[in-house]
Amino acid sequence: MTTTASAGSDDEPVDWSRFDSDAHRAAQNSCRHFIHCAVDGTTRRAVSQMLGYARTVSDGNAIAVTLAQLTGPCTLAPAPPAAEGSPRPADAKGQTPL
């Protein structure tokens, strides 16, 4: 499912489902860093929205923390985009981003 990025961004479409593979969910669950990495689609979307809000209110501390979450050592590259019109990947298990 393609949605728009958080407030404060250039409103580029973001395909959060590309972060919802089994590998992404496993990496999210096994992250033990002090500042938890945002790896899976649901978490990345929530952190992106927090980053947009932090930029809006000029909260420098929150900007630093959310950027650390989005670029942490546990992060994985998104899965390749599915071909247009093809069904969702089998590993998506019917989940849709919030």
Side-chain angles (χ1 to χ4, degrees):
M1 175 178 193
T2 303
T3 60
T4 57
S6 62
S9 71
D10 294 329
D11 291 328
E12 294 179 21
V14 176
D15 187 0
W16 297 110
S17 67
R18 292 179 60 197
F19 293 96
D20 279 335
S21 69
D22 289 335
H24 286 91
R25 286 188 290 277
Q28 183 69 55
N29 289 333
S30 64
C31 177
R32 301 292 181 250
H33 293 102
F34 181 71
I35 297 175
H36 292 282
C37 302
V39 186
D40 68 351
T42 303
T43 307
R44 288 187 74 83
R45 181 171 189 226
V47 171
S48 293
Q49 290 173 339
M50 287 187 290
L51 177 59
Y53 178 74
R55 287 176 173 162
T56 301
V57 298
S58 301
D59 185 348
N61 292 328
I63 291 171
V65 170
T66 54
L67 285 177
Q69 286 183 276
L70 291 170
T71 60
C74 292
T75 57
L76 301 173
E84 191 65 34
S86 66
R88 291 193 67 182
D91 62 358
K93 297 180 184 170
Q95 296 179 359
T96 57
L98 297 175

